[in-house]
Amino acid sequence: MAAPLGKRKWLCGRRDGGAAYEGAGSTMQARDLRWETLEALRASSKGRLKYFHHSDEDILEGCISPLMLSSYAGWVLDRMGGSSAETAAPSSSAPKGAAPHTAPSAEKSSASACEGPSSPSAARSETKGSSDPGVLEVNQEVLPIPPVSKMAKVEGCIQMYEEIYRMKGRERLRQRQEQQEQVVRAAYDMAREQLKRFDEMKELKRRQEIQELREVMEKSLKETQGQQEKLKEEHRHRAKILNLKLREAEQQRQRQEEQERLRREEGQERLRRLYSIQEELLQLNQQIDPNYKHKDLPKMDLSAYSNRGNQICGLVSGLIRTTSERGFPSQMDVANTEQALKEMRGLISSMQQEIAAAVEEKKRRDEQEKKQKQEELLKKQQAEAQTPAPVQPSGGKQQKEALSVKAEEKTMKWYRQLQDAAAQCAAAFSAMSNSKDSEVRKIRMELQKAVTIPVSQISTIAGSQLRQIFDKLNNLLSGKPVQSVGETVLVTQLPQGLDFVHYKLAEKFVRQGEEEVASHRESAFPIALVISGIWEMHPRVGDLFLAHLHKTCPYSVPFYPAYKEGASMEEYQRMLGYLVQDSKMEEEDHFLKRMSGLIRLYAALIQLRWPYGSKQGAHPHGLSFGWSWLAQMLNMEPLVVLTATLLYDFLEVCGHALMKQYHVQFWKLLLLMQEEYIPRIEAITNVGQKASLTRFKQFLEESLQKKDIPLPKGFLQPSFWRS
């Protein structure tokens, strides 16, 4: 604010003409006072303070050194003078009454005054200032510079010094940065060159090592090749010797096998002859029953014939047992059994003649007795006609009607059709089964493995695995090549290959029900799913499966085989489903377990369908067949233990599906079982045989009480197929 104050004082002086000379004198005095003020400030405690405006130590050192104007002082003064001239220019065009003044001239004079009165440069600047074009001329008169306040002058000097030192600091900092960049650049170049030399040395060493390694490998390879050549030569020599020995051994083995085969075939033929003779003897011996009760000859005694027949059968059985222990029977053994058969036939013939004579005698006596009875009956009827008949009581209960022991004619016709179809399929590949050609045997064994191995692997482990098994079986039946035990198998390799695979696959499914399902009940569902899928794609396999199932378990028809006159007891036991080996029938518990497994497999099959099939038509063997089976079972007389076991297993597996399908009719059927059929089973069941019946009764009571049958244990949920 010093410049405007000076301007007002100058204007005031301009109004008063004599005051202009006084202003010039006061200007000289102000200059002297200015230097005295600066000296006093420099000598004061504040003047001795050090101001550190920059971090650079060299710049700070400049603040401690005595104040001197540098080469930049003139540039600063010129700049300040230029700005004052620009400021004064518009003031020259002011009205005549205005008082002109130039602050930059005062600034220059103050700057020169800061250097001291003794300085020659100050005098020059002062002289120059008097002739400076910046001095204003008003009305052709040169006006003196107005006085400036001391505070403004000191402040201007301080700002000027600060600007000078700041510029010095920037210059030194720039120089130091350039030096530092040069040092860094030189260090970087040196490090880069050293790294290049290091990489070159490293690459040289690596190449040397590779070269040495190649030389070692080549040397080792040559030595190895030499050793291999020696070993190959020795191997060829030994191989020649071994081939000769093997050829001789193979020829000798073939001769021995041929001799052994001929001996075995002859022995097997004789053994089959012995078995056929023994079977005929047993059948003939069955006709000799010591407890034979002929309707016309109740007192007929056949014990002598029976004892002799048993003796003949025992002799033949002992002979066969002895020959089996030592290998195959001889020709003498066959001759002895044929002689025993001839004797048995004669014995039967004698017995039949004796029975025929006794029957004729009995008929003659019966005719006489019949005439007498007819006469007596006629007399009795005449007497009853004259006597009134008694009235029957109205409240009496009628006796329950007896159920049938035979299956329906339609069911038996269906059963026979399936058995005929199975027999025709077996006859179709009988030539292949009996073939002695080694190549045919090999292909037959591979086909059988391709069928049995995947079926044996069916389990509830994962849905993806079950689908792979199904695809493998489906591809085999469709004529596509299949990998089995490392071999590629095709059903078209043999003319009867497809018939053989159909038959064996159905047989294996049934065997899985006997063995796997009987031991692990939950396995019925994955096996039934695969059967359902194969049945849908290849219907013939389904028919053959039913034929094998009915033959192994006739109660799945349902069908109770009747004893045929002339059949052996072993044959009848096999018809009932029992396993008979060496004239020994299997135990009852094992038999029930097998039948239970087969019925569970059948019950799972009729309610399941392969989820990846077409599903355009109906189920090939659905719930309607299960309903029909259940109805026919209830229309037949129950068997001890077996009927209760089969009904329980069937309803436990398939009851939930039947309940969903038939609703009220199904509950009526269960109520019929509880009220009418269970009493029939109880009537024929002994005390020690009630375990299965008790379990079946409890199942019916709980189901009828809750009006619900839960899903069977092991039923495959939709999440199974995501595993």
Side-chain angles (χ1 to χ4, degrees):
M1 297 298 292
L5 288 173
K7 184 181 293 185
R8 285 197 297 270
K9 186 181 289 187
W10 178 259
L11 290 173
C12 293
R14 185 73 182 87
R15 290 172 186 173
D16 190 0
Y21 297 101
E22 294 177 2
S26 61
T27 301
M28 296 299 293
Q29 293 176 0
R31 290 180 180 175
D32 296 335
L33 291 172
R34 189 182 304 158
W35 282 109
E36 292 175 1
T37 302
L38 289 176
E39 289 295 333
L41 287 174
R42 189 180 294 113
S44 66
S45 58
K46 191 173 182 180
R48 291 193 296 271
L49 291 177
K50 299 178 181 180
Y51 295 92
F52 298 95
H53 297 285
H54 303 279
S55 59
D56 199 328
E57 294 180 358
D58 296 338
I59 296 173
L60 294 177
E61 288 176 2
C63 297
I64 303 172
S65 61
L67 296 176
M68 295 180 66
L69 292 176
S70 66
S71 59
Y72 296 99
W75 173 79
V76 173
L77 292 174
D78 293 340
R79 187 175 182 185
M80 291 176 68
S83 60
S84 63
E86 293 174 359
T87 308
S91 64
S92 62
S93 62
K96 293 182 179 181
H101 104 277
T102 56
S105 302
E107 292 294 338
K108 288 184 180 182
S109 61
S110 63
S112 60
C114 290
E115 294 182 5
S118 58
S119 175
S121 61
R124 287 193 299 270
S125 63
E126 186 176 355
T127 307
K128 184 179 180 181
S130 61
S131 61
D132 195 315
V135 180
L136 297 176
E137 295 180 4
V138 182
N139 298 327
Q140 306 296 327
E141 293 180 2
V142 179
L143 300 179
I145 298 173
V148 183
S149 65
K150 295 181 179 181
M151 184 185 298
K153 294 176 182 178
V154 173
E155 185 177 354
C157 291
I158 292 173
Q159 290 179 358
M160 182 181 65
Y161 291 148
E162 287 180 352
E163 182 68 21
I164 292 170
Y165 281 111
R166 193 177 292 114
M167 295 179 68
K168 285 182 179 181
R170 289 196 191 101
E171 181 65 23
R172 292 181 182 178
L173 182 60
R174 185 183 60 77
Q175 293 176 359
R176 177 162 291 189
Q177 286 178 349
E178 291 178 356
Q179 292 176 359
Q180 190 67 24
E181 288 176 358
Q182 292 176 359
V183 172
V184 171
R185 194 178 296 109
Y188 172 74
D189 294 339
M190 184 182 297
R192 186 173 59 183
E193 292 298 326
Q194 290 179 355
L195 182 61
K196 287 182 180 179
R197 302 292 83 75
F198 177 76
D199 290 341
E200 292 174 356
M201 182 63 68
K202 188 176 179 180
E203 181 68 18
L204 178 61
K205 289 183 179 180
R206 187 181 66 81
R207 290 177 181 175
Q208 291 177 351
E209 291 175 356
I210 291 174
Q211 184 63 28
E212 293 176 357
L213 183 61
R214 285 178 179 173
E215 292 176 357
V216 172
M217 290 178 64
E218 289 177 357
K219 184 178 179 181
S220 176
L221 182 62
K222 290 180 180 179
E223 294 177 355
T224 305
Q225 288 177 350
Q227 293 177 358
Q228 286 181 352
E229 290 297 330
K230 291 181 181 179
L231 291 174
K232 285 181 181 178
E233 187 63 30
E234 293 178 0
H235 177 72
R236 283 193 290 269
H237 180 67
R238 292 178 181 177
K240 289 180 181 178
I241 298 173
L242 288 175
N243 287 335
L244 292 174
K245 292 182 179 180
L246 287 173
R247 193 177 295 109
E248 294 176 359
E250 182 66 20
Q251 292 175 356
Q252 185 177 0
R253 185 187 63 78
Q254 290 178 355
R255 287 194 297 270
Q256 292 177 354
E257 283 183 355
E258 185 66 22
Q259 294 174 0
E260 181 66 20
R261 186 181 61 79
L262 294 175
R263 186 182 68 81
R264 190 182 297 107
E265 288 178 356
E266 293 175 357
Q268 288 177 352
E269 185 64 31
R270 289 194 291 269
L271 187 60
R272 281 193 293 271
R273 176 61 181 160
L274 286 182
Y275 286 154
S276 63
I277 292 172
Q278 184 185 22
E279 185 178 3
E280 189 175 355
L281 282 173
L282 292 174
Q283 290 176 355
L284 293 173
N285 190 45
Q286 290 292 333
Q287 300 177 18
I288 307 174
D289 189 356
N291 299 322
Y292 177 76
K293 301 294 182 183
H294 196 277
K295 61 181 180 179
D296 297 329
L297 303 173
K299 297 182 180 180
M300 186 70 179
D301 186 12
L302 301 178
S303 59
Y305 293 102
S306 176
N307 292 335
R308 183 54 187 165
N310 290 334
Q311 290 177 359
I312 294 173
C313 291
L315 290 173
V316 173
S317 298
L319 180 62
I320 291 176
R321 190 181 303 109
T322 304
T323 55
S324 299
E325 291 175 356
R326 70 168 184 258
F328 295 104
S330 61
Q331 193 65 33
M332 184 62 68
D333 296 333
V334 177
N336 292 334
T337 53
E338 289 178 349
Q339 184 65 30
L341 177 61
K342 187 183 293 185
E343 184 179 354
M344 178 65 78
R345 287 173 178 170
L347 191 66
I348 293 297
S349 178
S350 301
M351 182 190 70
Q352 290 175 348
Q353 291 175 2
E354 184 178 347
I355 291 174
V359 168
E360 290 294 332
E361 181 65 23
K362 181 65 177 174
K363 283 182 179 180
R364 187 179 58 79
R365 289 197 302 267
D366 288 344
E367 287 178 357
Q368 294 177 358
E369 292 177 358
K370 187 176 180 181
K371 289 180 181 180
Q372 294 176 359
K373 288 182 180 180
Q374 287 178 353
E375 292 175 358
E376 293 176 357
L377 182 61
L378 184 60
K379 292 178 182 179
K380 187 176 180 180
Q381 288 177 354
Q382 292 175 356
E384 289 178 352
Q386 297 175 359
T387 305
V391 180
Q392 292 289 341
S394 60
K397 293 184 178 180
Q398 295 181 355
Q399 187 179 3
K400 292 183 179 179
E401 296 181 0
L403 298 177
S404 175
V405 294
K406 295 182 179 179
E408 297 179 359
E409 184 60 31
K410 179 177 66 174
T411 303
M412 292 306 300
K413 183 179 179 181
W414 176 55
Y415 167 76
R416 285 190 290 269
Q417 288 176 352
L418 291 175
Q419 297 302 319
D420 293 342
Q424 291 175 4
C425 182
F429 64 84
S430 59
M432 182 183 73
S433 300
N434 300 326
S435 176
K436 297 179 181 179
D437 188 357
S438 60
E439 187 65 24
V440 175
R441 286 181 178 180
K442 181 181 177 182
I443 296 174
R444 185 184 65 201
M445 290 301 298
E446 290 175 353
L447 288 174
Q448 188 163 354
K449 288 178 182 178
V451 168
T452 56
I453 292 176
V455 176
S456 301
Q457 294 173 347
I458 296 176
S459 65
T460 57
I461 295 176
S464 57
Q465 182 182 5
L466 194 64
R467 190 170 181 182
Q468 289 177 0
I469 293 172
F470 172 81
D471 292 340
K472 192 171 185 179
L473 293 173
N474 184 35
N475 291 337
L476 179 66
L477 295 172
S478 302
K480 298 178 182 179
V482 175
Q483 290 293 327
S484 176
V485 198
E487 298 289 338
T488 302
V489 184
L490 270 171
V491 293
T492 56
Q493 289 177 303
L494 294 175
Q496 303 85 18
L498 189 59
D499 295 327
F500 178 77
V501 170
H502 283 166
Y503 190 88
K504 290 300 178 180
L505 180 58
E507 186 180 46
K508 181 60 178 177
F509 280 144
V510 174
R511 194 171 300 149
Q512 284 294 102
E514 285 186 280
E515 299 171 357
E516 185 65 22
V517 180
S519 302
H520 306 91
R521 295 181 173 183
E522 294 82 0
S523 63
F525 295 98
I527 297 173
L529 266 174
V530 176
I531 296 174
S532 175
I534 295 296
W535 197 334
E536 187 175 345
M537 302 295 294
H538 309 277
R540 190 184 184 192
V541 177
D543 295 339
L544 292 173
F545 168 76
L546 286 178
H548 284 291
L549 179 66
H550 293 167
K551 186 176 181 180
T552 307
C553 177
Y555 316 102
S556 62
V557 179
F559 164 55
Y560 298 160
Y563 178 76
K564 294 181 180 179
E565 187 176 355
S568 63
M569 185 56 63
E570 293 181 5
E571 184 178 353
Y572 180 61
Q573 289 169 351
R574 289 191 181 95
M575 290 173 62
L576 292 175
Y578 287 90
L579 295 177
V580 182
Q581 292 181 352
D582 299 332
S583 301
K584 185 178 179 181
M585 187 178 68
E586 69 176 327
E587 297 179 357
E588 188 72 16
D589 293 341
H590 190 265
F591 167 73
L592 291 174
K593 189 176 180 181
R594 286 193 308 107
M595 297 299 106
S596 174
L598 291 170
I599 288 297
R600 281 180 172 273
L601 179 61
Y602 181 70
L605 172 63
I606 63 176
Q607 65 176 311
L608 295 177
R609 195 164 186 185
W610 182 248
Y612 300 102
S614 61
K615 294 188 178 181
Q616 294 178 355
H619 192 292
H621 198 81
L623 285 172
S624 59
F625 288 88
W627 181 264
S628 176
W629 179 87
L630 198 58
Q632 290 185 64
M633 283 289 290
L634 298 181
N635 288 330
M636 299 175 69
E637 286 290 347
L639 300 178
V640 181
V641 181
L642 182 63
T643 300
T645 301
L646 296 183
L647 286 175
Y648 170 76
D649 290 326
F650 183 83
L651 289 175
E652 188 184 35
V653 176
C654 194
H656 182 82
L658 290 172
M659 176 189 70
K660 296 291 186 182
Q661 180 76 15
Y662 295 100
H663 305 292
V664 178
Q665 297 298 325
F666 175 73
W667 294 115
K668 288 181 180 180
L669 193 66
L670 290 190
L671 192 61
L672 176 68
M673 289 184 196
Q674 187 182 37
E675 293 179 353
E676 296 187 15
Y677 201 69
I678 284 184
R680 290 180 181 274
I681 301 176
E682 289 176 338
I684 62 172
T685 305
N686 296 329
V687 177
Q689 300 173 334
K690 289 189 175 182
S692 59
L693 177 60
T694 304
R695 182 179 58 180
F696 181 46
K697 287 175 64 177
Q698 290 177 354
F699 175 80
L700 287 178
E701 290 173 359
E702 291 178 1
S703 301
L704 290 170
Q705 183 179 1
K706 297 178 180 178
K707 285 293 181 181
D708 181 58
I709 296 179
L711 278 172
K713 186 178 180 181
F715 189 83
L716 300 179
Q717 300 295 338
S719 59
F720 170 75
W721 299 105
R722 293 192 294 270
S723 60

